[in-house]
Structure formats: C-alpha cells, structure tokens
Amino acid sequence: MALVLDDVKRVAHLARLAIDEAEALTALSQMNDVFKLIAEMQAVDTRGVEPMSHALDVVQRLRADAVTETDQHALFQQAAPQVKGGHYLVPKVIE
C-alpha cells in the first residue's frame, strides 16, 4: 500500500500539524519506506518459529519461595476492634 501526498496532508490535518510541501514530501517518502519494510517482514515465512520473550536466553534469579515469618494473625487480630471467623470487620461504606 503506497501513500500519496494527499494522504500525508490529510493525516497532518487530522493531527493538527502544520507542514509545508517539502516536509510533506519528506514524510511521504519516510512513511512509504516504513510500509515497504512492513511488507518485507510480512513476506517472511515464520511457520515453525517459536515466539520468544527475550532476545537472549536469560533466566531471572529468584529466591526460594519459602515461609520466613511465623503466623501472627491471631496476635494482630487481638488488637482489632471487631473480628469474626478470622476476618476483620469494618463499617460498611457502600450502600
């Protein structure tokens, strides 16, 4: 799909950009180059190519998922004004 000068001027108008004829011609050339590159990339057969999340095969180092603190919820709930069934009771704010 090749653009024409009127397309560039219309896009500039919609974007509220003031461009002169020389800038419009430059933009036309650059936009057509982008569309050519997209067409080239779409022509490549990518069947059988597995998608990758990163260009390098890296693994994020994570710490072990282990409990490091003791369960103190009963201690904390002793200080709460109202508790029922292990849950904190709060005033209703939405009617």
Side-chain angles (χ1 to χ4, degrees):
M1 173 183 152
L3 297 177
V4 294
L5 193 56
D6 288 337
D7 295 329
V8 174
K9 289 181 181 179
R10 183 170 182 271
V11 170
H13 172 73
L14 291 172
R16 304 296 189 253
L17 297 174
I19 61 173
D20 60 21
E21 197 73 18
E23 290 173 326
L25 288 170
T26 302
L28 173 65
S29 172
Q30 291 173 344
M31 291 169 83
N32 279 329
D33 288 345
V34 169
F35 285 130
K36 286 178 191 173
L37 180 61
I38 291 170
E40 286 179 31
M41 291 183 349
Q42 287 179 338
V44 175
D45 181 19
T46 58
R47 286 178 290 178
V49 177
E50 186 177 333
M52 58 184 184
S53 62
H54 198 277
L56 301 175
D57 189 23
V58 294
V59 177
Q60 186 174 6
R61 294 181 297 174
L62 301 173
R63 64 176 171 78
D65 188 15
V67 177
T68 59
E69 296 182 14
T70 59
D71 183 10
Q72 299 181 11
H73 83 276
L75 175 66
F76 297 142
Q77 288 187 346
Q78 287 177 355
Q82 291 182 319
V83 177
K84 182 177 180 183
H87 300 283
Y88 296 98
L89 299 178
V90 296
K92 186 176 182 179
V93 294
I94 299 175
E95 294 184 31

